[in-house]
């Protein structure tokens, strides 16, 4: 979510070199974040239920502990 929100504010007419610079700002944090998400999915801590096709919104259950959720929130606050 953090990365997607950051990208929505970018002017799509920027040059490719400017876009590369913006995307490079995500590293190396995005690697650890992706590994965390994969772990949560593999462990069944986040389970997708369905997709609301009218808004392309995914419904999911979040079974992570409160501590895991807070660690994620604190990192991006």
């Amino acid at each position: 979510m953090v990365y997607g929100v950051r990208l929505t504010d970018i002017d799509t007419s920027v040059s490719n070199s400017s876009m590369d610079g913006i995307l490079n700002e995500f590293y190396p944090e995005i690697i650890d974040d992706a590994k965390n998400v994969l772990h949560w999915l593999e462990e069944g801590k986040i389970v997708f239920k369905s997709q609301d096709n009218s808004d392309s919104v995914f419904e999911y259950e979040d079974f992570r502990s409160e501590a895991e959720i807070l660690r994620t929130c604190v990192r991006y606050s």
Side-chain angles (χ1 to χ4, degrees), residues 24-70:
N24 285 335
E25 291 177 16
F26 294 158
Y27 292 93
E29 291 86 4
I30 197 169
I31 304 281
D32 289 332
D33 289 341
K35 288 178 181 177
N36 283 337
V37 170
L38 287 172
H39 173 74
W40 296 329
L41 292 169
E42 289 169 351
E43 296 292 316
K45 292 184 176 188
I46 294 180
V47 178
F48 288 100
K49 295 176 9 178
S50 64
Q51 179 182 354
D52 178 356
N53 292 327
S54 64
D55 295 326
S56 297
V57 175
F58 288 93
E59 291 184 28
Y60 63 94
E61 292 286 341
D62 189 343
F63 298 107
R64 294 176 295 161
S65 69
E66 187 174 335
E68 286 176 303
I69 294 168
L70 287 175

Side-chain angles (χ1 to χ4, degrees), residues 10-23:
I10 295 173
D11 179 1
T12 57
S13 65
V14 298
S15 68
N16 284 343
S17 61
S18 295
M19 184 61 75
D20 287 345
I22 293 164
L23 294 175

